[in-house]
Structure formats: C-alpha cells, structure tokens
Amino acid sequence: MTTPQHCPGFEQFQNLKSFICNCPKCNAPKEIFSDEFEKTHKCDKCGEEIDFTTCTYDAGT
C-alpha cells in the first residue's frame, strides 16, 4: 500500500477550518480559512474592511 501524494505543504493545511463573516456595511458573505485570522480582509462586493475576530463561528446550525 502506498501513501497518496499531495501538494507540498498539504499536511499543514489539512486541519484548516473555513469561516464566513458578513460584511458590516453591505452584509455580503466573505469566507476565510482559520490560518487567515491575523490578516486584513476586505469585502469582495463593497471593499469595506471586515474584522474576522468579531465574527462568531457558525457550525452549520
């Protein structure tokens, strides 16, 4: 049995979680991954900066 080949660095990304936060200005959803919390994110629709540290994790409830 062989180990499947993955892209380089795959192991460090396999446990990432995705998060969706709505823009505070236009309410458009923006998705990021759990390793991107420290970065600055802007809404794809209106360009407003989104602070993901204020978002709550939605576990699909």
Side-chain angles (χ1 to χ4, degrees):
M1 188 169 177
T2 60
T3 303
Q5 295 296 309
H6 296 287
C7 298
F10 171 79
E11 289 76 20
Q12 75 187 63
F13 297 115
Q14 65 184 356
N15 295 320
L16 288 180
K17 304 228 182 316
S18 67
F19 295 86
I20 295 177
C21 192
N22 289 338
C23 173
K25 187 173 182 181
C26 73
N27 208 37
K30 171 79 173 178
E31 181 180 24
I32 66 161
F33 291 96
S34 56
D35 69 334
E36 299 177 318
F37 271 123
E38 304 303 317
K39 297 179 183 175
T40 300
H41 300 280
K42 293 195 184 297
C43 176
D44 294 329
K45 188 173 181 182
C46 73
E48 181 76 9
E49 189 170 309
I50 302 172
D51 182 3
F52 271 83
T53 62
T54 63
C55 294
T56 55
Y57 174 66
D58 182 4
T61 54

